[in-house]
Amino acid sequence: MNLDGAGVVLTGATGGIGQALTDALVAAGARVHAVGRDATRLGVLVARHGAAVLPIAADLSDEGGRARVVEAAARLRPSVLVLAHAQGAFGLFEEQSAERVRALLETNLVASALLVHALLPLLRAQPQAAVAAIGSTFGSLAYPGFAAYSASKFGLRGLIEGLAREHADTALRFQYLSPRATRTAFNPPAVEALNRALKVAEDEPAAVAAQIVAAIRSGRPRLQLGWPEKLFARLNGAWPGLIDRNLKSRLPLVRQHARS
């Protein structure tokens, strides 16, 4: 995928990874149609990059917000869609409200599926196109304290994998690209404290963005960043019992920080 001059719709553009992705995509020569809920924060990206960034203020969990993105895309004819928006929800599942769980699934999974569905005809019309979903290690390895979030990312991974197989004989690619823990404001203090207690490594957003853009360019269908996260994700697929026993030993720390 040649990104020089390509139109890229980037959701979650004002988040920690999203901002770094905007920078990396513009540096690669792309025109970024930056989607976010906060018009002021989108304005910061425009001030940084000028005409290379077109802001689209929209809440993707709302039908009208998705319609605004599709309307803009119809005019701009992008060849790449990057799904980088997400809500987090650290906490014990039984202690989270039904409304919180519903909102997370609506944003992370349902909104993503419906946006891809709406943009497929536009993407299929391009000689070469890609949909890149920014996943998570927790989309391959469900973690205590992140049950709802893991469910949303497992679902997103299934969607992208299924679509990749549906379109395997076309010029439209689907990619599921998974960062590990990243040093952004997406992680609340309780998650940062848990990561320190468990000695979980955190990547810088710019380093994550660089690897994601490289994967989009190369067309790599799957990417899990970080070690040992890559190993754990594979072990969970082949021998989940090993991971069950490992994570059981971490439950006291997870519960402590989830209730802090």
Side-chain angles (χ1 to χ4, degrees), residues 11-22 35-36 41 45 84-85 184-186 205:
T11 70
T14 59
I17 293 178
Q19 292 182 55
L21 276 172
T22 302
V35 182
R41 295 176 70 181
L45 293 176
H85 67 281
T184 73
F186 183 78

Side-chain angles (χ1 to χ4, degrees), residues 77-250:
R77 298 171 62 190
S79 54
V80 181
L81 169 63
V82 181
L83 300 168
H85 67 281
Q87 284 189 21
F90 176 54
L92 302 179
F93 186 74
E94 65 180 315
E95 296 178 0
Q96 295 173 333
S97 69
E99 290 75 16
R100 183 74 190 89
V101 173
R102 183 182 298 109
L104 181 142
L105 293 173
E106 285 282 350
T107 298
N108 295 4
L109 180 55
V110 177
S112 297
L114 293 177
L115 184 62
V116 172
H117 185 269
L119 290 176
L120 271 177
L122 294 174
L123 294 167
R124 285 288 305 274
Q126 301 302 314
Q128 186 180 35
V131 175
I134 309 307
S136 167
T137 303
F138 294 162
S140 299
L141 191 160
Y143 210 89
F146 298 88
Y149 181 76
S150 296
S152 72
K153 291 299 185 176
F154 263 78
L156 183 62
R157 180 165 66 93
L159 172 71
I160 295 301
E161 190 171 90
L163 287 172
R165 291 165 179 169
E166 282 188 19
H167 295 268
D169 58 352
T170 76
L172 175 57
R173 295 196 312 267
F174 291 85
Q175 303 170 270
Y176 184 80
L177 312 175
S178 305
R180 62 177 178 178
T182 307
R183 192 170 290 110
T184 73
F186 183 78
N187 295 323
V191 172
E192 293 287 353
L194 177 63
N195 286 343
R196 288 192 297 271
L198 294 175
K199 297 181 173 57
V200 173
E202 293 185 344
D203 293 326
E204 293 297 333
V208 172
Q211 293 182 76
I212 289 172
V213 169
I216 293 171
R217 278 174 154 164
S218 69
R220 186 170 181 169
R222 300 173 184 85
L223 174 66
Q224 171 61 59
L225 300 183
W227 191 268
E229 287 81 1
K230 184 180 297 185
L231 172 63
F232 290 158
R234 291 178 179 176
L235 286 175
N236 190 59
W239 297 287
L242 292 177
I243 304 301
D244 292 344
R245 291 190 288 275
N246 178 271
L247 294 183
K248 185 177 180 180
S249 68
R250 302 185 181 194

Side-chain angles (χ1 to χ4, degrees), residues 53-66:
V53 171
L54 177 75
I56 306 173
D59 182 350
L60 294 177
S61 64
D62 174 73
E63 184 177 354
R66 292 192 299 274

Side-chain angles (χ1 to χ4, degrees), residues 13-45:
T14 59
I17 293 178
Q19 292 182 55
L21 276 172
T22 302
D23 296 342
L25 287 165
V26 170
R31 296 174 292 111
V32 179
H33 315 309
V35 182
R37 291 181 296 180
D38 190 325
T40 301
R41 295 176 70 181
L42 286 170
V44 173
L45 293 176

